[in-house]
Amino acid sequence: MATLKYLLQSKSENSNIYVRYSIDRKTVLWRKTGLIINATDWSDKTGFPKTGKQELKATKSKLDKLATFINDAHNVAVSTGTEFTGDWLQLQIDLYNKKNPVVELDILTNYIQKYIDDAPYKQNAKKELGLSKGRISNLKLFKSTILKYEADALKSKSILVRDINLKFVENYKSWLFNKNYSVNYVGKNIANIRTICIDASKNDIETSTQIKNIKGISESREPEDIVFLSEDEQEAIKNAPLIREALINARKWLLLGCLIGQRGGDLLNITEKNIKELNGMKIIELKQQKTGKLVAIPLLPEAVEIIESGLPYKISLVHFNEHIKDVCLEAGLIAPTKGRKKTKFNKPTTKGVYPKHEVISSHICRRSFCTNFYGRIPTPVLMNISAHGTERMFLHYIGKTTYDNAYQMLDYFSKLAPKEKKSQLEVFIAQEQSKVIV
């Protein structure tokens, strides 16, 4: 038989009154009743307020009625086979206090799942219908991180959408940083929280008025933090003495990736069907997973050589990331390099200085392509292949500034313009540089 007891967990003047509801030996539920009392007016022996004062009699009366309400709800729930959880108990307390009860979609993780389930009908960044596979994967990872936070920091208590305010965001942000997640990953989580809450509000789910004040964060990279493979390093990788078939195969993917500038998921999905001829020139044609954009990438002689020697066989992104670290080690890429090292289980690590092969991941293919061919291939063409939305994003991605672009323009201009015009442009660039605050 279920038993109910009221108790305090502090000795303050404004102590919360808790209810402990024991369904059986294994199921003991705890929740706040919503009532507060001065601890000196509470009797631990009776589990009720001390008698005497009128307001204490009123509090006892409310507790008596709440106990009756919970017991009646328990009897009904037993007959219908309801599962008894802390959320069930909270629902009864909310109903008794005439508060808006918690429904399924009030729970953050449930609403995230609804958002994922509705992905085919959501408008994407291109104003088209359907979220990309990459976006859906990001949301699934976000939900997983929220569940970890609930288990680690909240004793597995579910987060309600209505409770997400600036204080919650700061606490969540601190937890993420303490777990050594990167600034960019933390920023994506905060952006996801805002997106989910705004969508919930549109569907009449109660949300905090502070949602609009939640601001995202991002990590600024200094040029020296940009990790890529130079052409000399790629040559060293090409000539590294490898024995394991898995490493030889991963090397092919790595070198091909540095020549076509695609994200890891798109690179590793390339098959013979993607290789075509256009006006006597070999190209790779593919639809990018993240953007949904169809791109045609001309193949340089080195890329053609890799493909004609036999297209590498398909491997997972996880194994690719593992193998290319070993490949780069065999190629002697051990110079101290600023970056982030990830474990085999993809756990976050702090930023630091490591041997270069340890900070290598699939992303280095796209970055190496953009960095090595910048200034040699027109920037709009590079941006089209790498799928960067703006020139500013592209330059930031490879660690360049607008002044690098200006010097590139000066180089072209010098071949076309008279010397005096060149000098005027040099003066202009120098003047603009002097305005920059270091």
Side-chain angles (χ1 to χ4, degrees):
M1 180 178 178
T3 58
L4 184 149
K5 182 176 177 60
Y6 295 113
L7 63 159
L8 308 185
Q9 289 193 314
S10 73
K11 298 295 182 182
S12 70
E13 292 182 2
N14 296 298
S15 297
N16 284 296
I17 302 175
Y18 286 79
V19 57
R20 183 181 70 196
Y21 201 58
S22 303
I23 307 293
D24 51 44
R25 290 184 179 181
K26 294 182 179 180
T27 310
V28 180
L29 312 176
W30 291 72
R31 282 296 184 270
K32 293 178 183 178
T33 63
L35 298 171
I36 294 173
I37 193 171
N38 189 323
T40 59
D41 294 327
W42 183 261
S43 170
D44 291 328
K45 183 177 180 180
T46 64
F48 282 102
K50 296 175 182 177
T51 57
K53 300 178 184 178
Q54 190 62 36
E55 63 267 23
L56 296 179
K57 290 180 181 178
T59 300
K60 183 180 184 304
S61 175
K62 290 179 181 178
L63 293 173
D64 284 333
K65 290 176 182 177
L66 175 59
T68 300
F69 189 92
I70 291 173
N71 284 325
D72 288 346
H74 172 258
N75 291 335
V76 172
V78 168
S79 64
T80 57
T82 300
E83 181 184 4
F84 295 105
T85 64
D87 289 338
W88 173 85
L89 179 57
Q90 186 65 58
L91 174 61
Q92 310 317 313
I93 295 170
D94 288 343
L95 290 172
Y96 172 76
N97 290 326
K98 294 182 172 55
K99 289 177 61 178
N100 291 332
V102 174
V103 296
E104 182 181 1
L105 292 180
D106 284 327
I107 299 171
L108 177 60
T109 50
N110 288 347
Y111 201 91
I112 297 171
Q113 187 58 52
K114 175 188 182 304
Y115 197 91
I116 293 170
D117 294 340
D118 292 345
Y121 318 107
K122 293 285 183 187
Q123 190 179 67
N124 58 36
K126 299 175 69 177
K127 307 298 182 184
E128 297 173 350
L129 202 61
L131 300 182
S132 68
K133 290 182 180 179
R135 178 64 178 134
I136 295 170
S137 295
N138 176 268
L139 288 165
K140 289 179 178 179
L141 183 59
F142 169 56
K143 179 184 174 183
S144 174
T145 306
I146 289 291
L147 288 169
K148 290 177 184 176
Y149 177 65
E150 289 177 343
D152 186 56
L154 304 178
K155 298 180 180 179
S156 296
K157 181 182 177 183
S158 295
I159 299 165
L160 301 183
V161 174
R162 69 180 67 156
D163 293 335
I164 296 175
N165 51 26
L166 293 175
K167 182 180 179 181
F168 168 85
V169 170
E170 287 304 311
N171 290 339
Y172 181 56
K173 194 189 301 181
S174 297
W175 179 82
L176 288 169
F177 281 128
N178 287 333
K179 293 294 182 182
N180 292 325
Y181 285 100
S182 69
V183 174
N184 284 341
Y185 184 74
V186 174
K188 287 177 182 177
N189 268 256
I190 303 306
N192 281 333
I193 285 175
R194 195 171 188 275
T195 297
I196 293 297
C197 289
I198 290 173
D199 193 79
S201 178
K202 292 176 182 177
N203 286 284
D204 296 326
I205 301 297
E206 183 183 351
T207 58
S208 168
T209 57
Q210 297 180 354
I211 293 302
K212 61 181 179 296
N213 296 320
I214 294 175
K215 305 296 182 184
I217 57 173
S218 62
E219 181 179 31
S220 61
R221 288 179 178 266
E222 296 299 326
E224 63 267 22
D225 293 344
I226 304 300
V227 181
F228 70 99
L229 294 174
S230 68
E231 292 181 337
D232 287 342
E233 288 173 325
Q234 291 178 48
E235 189 65 24
I237 290 169
K238 181 179 178 180
N239 296 324
L242 303 178
I243 299 175
R244 288 176 57 197
E245 181 62 30
L247 298 190
I248 294 171
N249 185 68
R251 172 168 62 186
K252 276 192 171 184
W253 280 123
L254 176 60
L255 294 175
L256 180 62
C258 291
L259 294 168
I260 65 173
Q262 300 304 297
R263 294 180 177 89
D266 293 324
L267 170 68
L268 298 176
N269 279 324
I270 291 173
T271 67
E272 294 287 351
K273 294 180 180 179
N274 299 104
I275 302 167
K276 301 181 180 181
E277 275 205 23
L278 179 67
N279 297 327
M281 176 180 62
K282 282 189 179 296
I283 65 168
I284 285 180
E285 187 178 85
L286 58 84
K287 187 175 183 180
Q288 294 173 334
Q289 294 177 9
K290 183 173 182 178
T291 65
K293 181 180 177 183
L294 186 67
V295 293
I297 309 153
L299 293 179
L300 295 168
E302 296 90 337
V304 173
E305 182 182 334
I306 292 171
I307 290 171
E308 289 183 346
S309 69
L311 196 66
Y313 59 78
K314 187 175 178 61
I315 58 172
S316 70
L317 190 59
V318 172
H319 286 141
F320 179 60
N321 281 324
E322 290 177 4
H323 293 332
I324 60 176
K325 287 178 173 60
D326 293 336
V327 169
C328 290
L329 174 61
E330 293 297 327
L333 274 60
I334 59 174
T337 304
K338 291 172 70 174
R340 290 185 179 275
K341 182 175 70 171
K342 294 185 178 180
T343 67
K344 290 184 178 181
F345 301 102
N346 208 31
K347 292 181 179 178
T349 63
T350 54
K351 198 174 184 180
V353 177
Y354 306 97
K356 185 162 186 175
H357 70 277
E358 293 185 5
V359 298
I360 299 295
S361 68
S362 63
H363 205 79
I364 205 164
C365 295
R366 183 170 176 245
R367 200 182 296 277
S368 298
F369 172 82
C370 294
T371 305
N372 289 327
F373 289 108
Y374 174 74
R376 296 158 63 185
I377 296 175
T379 300
V381 176
L382 289 178
M383 289 171 55
N384 184 61
I385 293 173
S386 64
H388 281 94
T390 66
E391 189 167 353
R392 182 180 178 183
M393 288 172 58
F394 176 83
L395 293 174
H396 181 73
Y397 181 74
I398 61 175
K400 301 292 184 181
T401 69
T402 52
Y403 297 111
D404 292 290
N405 219 23
Y407 282 119
Q408 186 184 357
M409 177 182 171
L410 179 61
D411 183 54
Y412 292 135
F413 190 80
S414 66
K415 298 172 184 176
L416 301 173
K419 186 174 181 181
E420 59 271 16
K421 289 188 178 181
K422 172 185 171 184
S423 299
Q424 289 173 6
L425 187 60
E426 286 176 330
V427 170
F428 169 75
I429 293 172
Q431 288 174 341
E432 291 300 307
Q433 278 187 305
S434 66
K435 298 176 184 178
V436 178
I437 300 174
V438 180

